[in-house]
């Protein structure tokens, strides 16, 4: 598994305001959208493309377009939905699937409650959207679920990650045959006793949707 921290001043700038407890919900949503677009640029460096012949106003030439099958973008409900627009701005022709997963707040384990994915993911590149890689249970379960359905290249995009979550993914997904990449805005210090990232930014879902 490869971990890429997108080290860029604009990403750090937007993360600073996302972390600030004084940032209101509309601003939090806008910053998330902008930040995901920046992270998507990093995450799609290895997106599959194919040659494409075109005619400019001056001469014929060859460019590229996204190869088939098209990439699949998979936001994890509900917080991942807040990242979808920023990702689709970079990949407007990608397909979208949805995966609903909940974390049991006592056991910190994840279980699936909704699935709106293509039946066959054979040879598909998948981009999983989840704002926080905290304990890693939800993301590990989601990645394994996609791999078992045939996805052969999986990239997860997170705003923030905790070292414990990254270690868990490395341990639990080590047997997968497909490459897995984590692209994140920052790796924070640790998790607290409640499974929240420290210093983090709180509950991303609550802050995206105005729940207090």
């Amino acid at each position: 598994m490869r971990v890429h921290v997108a080290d860029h001043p604009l990403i750090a700038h937007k993360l600073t305001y996302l972390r600030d407890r004084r940032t209101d919900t509309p601003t939090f949503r806008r910053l998330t959208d902008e930040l995901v677009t920046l992270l998507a640029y990093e995450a799609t460096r290895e997106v599959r493309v194919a040659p494409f012949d075109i005619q400019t106003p001056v001469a014929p030439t060859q460019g590229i377009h996204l190869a088939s099958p098209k990439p699949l973008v998979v936001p994890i409900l509900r917080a991942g939905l807040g990242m979808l627009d920023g990702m689709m701005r970079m990949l407007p022709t990608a397909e979208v699937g949805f995966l609903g997963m909940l974390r049991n707040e006592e056991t910190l384990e994840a279980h699936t409650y909704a699935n709106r994915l293509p039946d066959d993911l054979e040879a598909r590149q998948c981009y999983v959207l989840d704002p926080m890689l905290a304990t890693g249970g939800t993301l590990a379960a989601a990645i394994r679920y996609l791999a078992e359905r045939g996805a052969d290249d999986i990239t997860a995009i997170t705003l923030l990650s905790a070292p414990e979550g990254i270690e868990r993914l490395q341990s639990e997904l080590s047997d997968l045959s497909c490459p897995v990449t984590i692209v994140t805005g920052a790796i924070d210090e640790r998790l607290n006793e409640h499974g929240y990232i420290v210093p983090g930014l709180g509950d991303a879902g609550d802050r995206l949707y105005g729940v207090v």
Side-chain angles (χ1 to χ4, degrees), residues 169-212:
L169 290 187
Q170 290 172 328
S171 172
E172 294 191 6
L173 302 178
S174 60
D175 61 322
L176 294 185
S177 59
C178 69
V180 175
T181 302
I182 307 299
V183 175
T184 188
I187 299 176
D188 275 9
E189 296 173 11
R190 58 184 174 85
L191 296 178
N192 66 15
E193 64 274 16
H194 303 294
Y196 282 91
I197 298 175
V198 178
L201 51 76
D203 188 304
D206 287 353
R207 297 191 68 189
L208 278 165
Y209 300 114
V211 180
V212 294

Side-chain angles (χ1 to χ4, degrees), residues 15 18 32 35-36 39 83 130-131 157-161 184-186:
L15 270 176
L18 282 176
T32 297
L35 179 54
V36 172
L39 292 173
M83 303 172 69
D130 195 11
I157 302 173
T158 70
L159 306 181
L160 290 178
S161 298
T184 188

Side-chain angles (χ1 to χ4, degrees), residues 73-129:
V73 177
V74 184
I76 297 180
L77 304 178
R78 66 179 171 146
L81 280 177
M83 303 172 69
L84 183 58
D85 286 349
M87 185 69 185
M88 296 308 291
R89 189 171 296 113
M90 291 293 290
L91 281 176
T93 60
E95 295 181 13
V96 179
F98 298 94
L99 196 55
M101 308 196 81
L102 282 175
R103 183 177 74 165
N104 184 305
E105 295 302 327
E106 294 182 359
T107 65
L108 303 183
E109 297 297 322
H111 68 273
T112 303
Y113 68 87
N115 164 22
R116 296 294 182 271
L117 297 171
D119 291 333
D120 183 13
L121 298 181
E122 193 69 31
R124 296 290 290 267
Q125 278 187 298
C126 293
Y127 294 90
V128 183
L129 308 179

Side-chain angles (χ1 to χ4, degrees), residues 60-77:
T61 189
Q62 188 176 80
I64 58 172
H65 62 177
L66 293 182
S68 293
K70 292 289 194 298
L72 181 69
V73 177
V74 184
I76 297 180
L77 304 178

